[in-house]
Amino acid sequence: MNGIYGEDVGEVCQVCDTPIQKSIIGQRGTFFCPRCQR
């Protein structure tokens, strides 16, 4: 795992334990925490 956010859907955020989600923007996949990032 790199940094705070994982590289796989289903891993949990190290800050709030919320499952990480993936969004595709353009042709790139971005992993983010839906609770910490608004």
Side-chain angles (χ1 to χ4, degrees):
M1 184 182 319
N2 295 332
I4 294 175
Y5 303 109
E7 294 182 348
D8 195 14
V9 174
E11 288 186 17
V12 294
C13 174
Q14 293 180 357
V15 176
C16 68
D17 292 327
T18 300
I20 299 299
Q21 293 184 358
K22 181 178 182 181
S23 177
I24 298 177
I25 301 172
Q27 294 180 354
R28 295 184 157 185
T30 301
F31 294 90
F32 68 97
C33 173
R35 185 173 181 188
C36 292
Q37 292 185 318
R38 297 176 189 241

